[in-house]
Amino acid sequence: MIAMNGSLDIPPASPPSRRRLGLVAGLLLLFALGAPSGGQVRKVSNPIANRDIFIVAHQDDWQLFMGDVASRILKAGLPARFVYLTAGDDGRDSLYWQTREHAALRSTAVAAGRINPELDEIQCSTVMVMEHAVRKCSLGDTESYFLRLPDGKRNGTGFARYSHQSMRSLRGKKIEAITTVDGAATYQGWPDLVATVEELVDAGGAGVVVHTTDPSIAANPHDHFDHRMAGLLVEDLRRRHPIGARYYAGYALATRAANRSNSEAREKTAIFLAYDAEMMRANKNWGAYREHPAFYAQCMARTYARSPRDR
């Protein structure tokens, strides 16, 4: 999440209209989430051809940067997987990052057209992937995987609560291993992490398209280092497999011209606010929109992506 992962350095953006703020306030009343169930299994999932996989750093990244794309895929009845690399913990305790997971599942349900899913529709368990414990939650044709790595902070230096571990430090070999915030898994170096995500992606399968934040500083300046690490991890996957990919603008999004239709902007807003409302259900001070309304309103009207070979 942008406002909750280190200091936010937002480029200048025009303020949202009163009408848009009113729409946002109204949508906040629509959403709530029940707690998912638990369990322990070992099998990850069956391979699915022609699928879309969203690999992001934090629990609200895809909603902000590619939410309308995810909704279009899910409402077409196509399967999708969501891989969340960090816990998005912001250096906080388990109540905060577990709430973020619940909020991510709520927004996934809304993107799929299920505004009020029954509790037993969301099935969660622990799966073993390359000998690492990963939280998996399923809803309809979606699968969500939460790796729960420590949030790297805006600059990639990590937080004291989790010994300043970060994906940036792991990839740069400043640390030899990284342990999840729940202590359930340890990744022995960057290649171990990449191999684990590779297993989740099933990169050898047909028709895989990975959606992630753009790792290019030139194409996507001023972004969170966790966002950049997600993109670089996908770059490493593409060196090993001929998978398709779409790279999306992150923090730089608000500096570009609006390019979503009114209906696309409304769809994206509903998905993001499903997430935000769940956060505020747990703690009213955890709402993202109230902290930076102009920035978030700008993001709702914009989605920019490129193929990896384009600049």
Side-chain angles (χ1 to χ4, degrees), residues 47 107 117 153 238 240 248 270 290 310:
S107 57
K153 205 174 184 178
R238 292 183 61 249
R240 302 168 68 166
Y248 294 78
R290 62 183 294 175
D310 293 334

Side-chain angles (χ1 to χ4, degrees), residues 53-56 85 171 190 194 197 201 209-213 215 227-241 243-247 308:
I53 300 175
F54 295 81
I55 299 178
V56 293
L85 298 175
R171 190 174 187 274
W190 182 258
V194 173
V197 176
V201 170
V209 177
V210 177
H211 304 261
T212 192
T213 36
H227 299 171
R228 206 170 302 290
M229 292 301 107
L232 289 172
L233 190 151
V234 172
E235 288 270 81
D236 288 344
L237 290 178
R238 292 183 61 249
R239 292 188 184 97
R240 302 168 68 166
H241 300 280
I243 58 176
R246 292 291 285 166
Y247 291 166

Side-chain angles (χ1 to χ4, degrees), residues 106-242:
R106 165 55 66 192
S107 57
T108 303
V110 171
R114 302 185 181 201
I115 293 179
N116 292 301
E118 297 296 330
L119 297 184
D120 58 4
E121 287 188 66
I122 302 175
Q123 299 295 326
C124 293
S125 60
T126 299
V127 297
M128 300 304 296
V129 186
M130 300 290 290
E131 300 184 354
H132 302 300
V134 176
R135 186 70 169 171
K136 173 188 174 183
C137 295
S138 300
L139 173 65
D141 291 328
T142 72
E143 296 174 344
S144 299
Y145 296 92
F146 300 94
L147 271 65
R148 296 177 172 175
L149 298 176
D151 187 329
K153 205 174 184 178
R154 175 67 185 268
N155 60 6
T157 60
F159 291 92
R161 179 186 288 269
Y162 301 108
S163 303
H164 293 284
Q165 298 178 101
S166 71
M167 289 191 292
R168 183 187 186 187
S169 294
L170 188 70
R171 190 174 187 274
K173 300 182 179 180
K174 293 183 178 180
I175 57 175
E176 295 181 354
I178 189 169
T179 299
T180 57
V181 296
D182 58 359
T186 297
Y187 295 83
Q188 301 294 335
W190 182 258
D192 188 17
L193 176 60
V194 173
T196 301
V197 176
E198 179 181 17
E199 186 75 10
L200 292 174
V201 170
D202 184 31
V208 175
V209 177
V210 177
H211 304 261
T212 192
T213 36
D214 200 323
S216 169
I217 295 176
N220 184 31
H222 315 300
D223 211 359
H224 194 298
F225 259 100
D226 283 348
H227 299 171
R228 206 170 302 290
M229 292 301 107
L232 289 172
L233 190 151
V234 172
E235 288 270 81
D236 288 344
L237 290 178
R238 292 183 61 249
R239 292 188 184 97
R240 302 168 68 166
H241 300 280

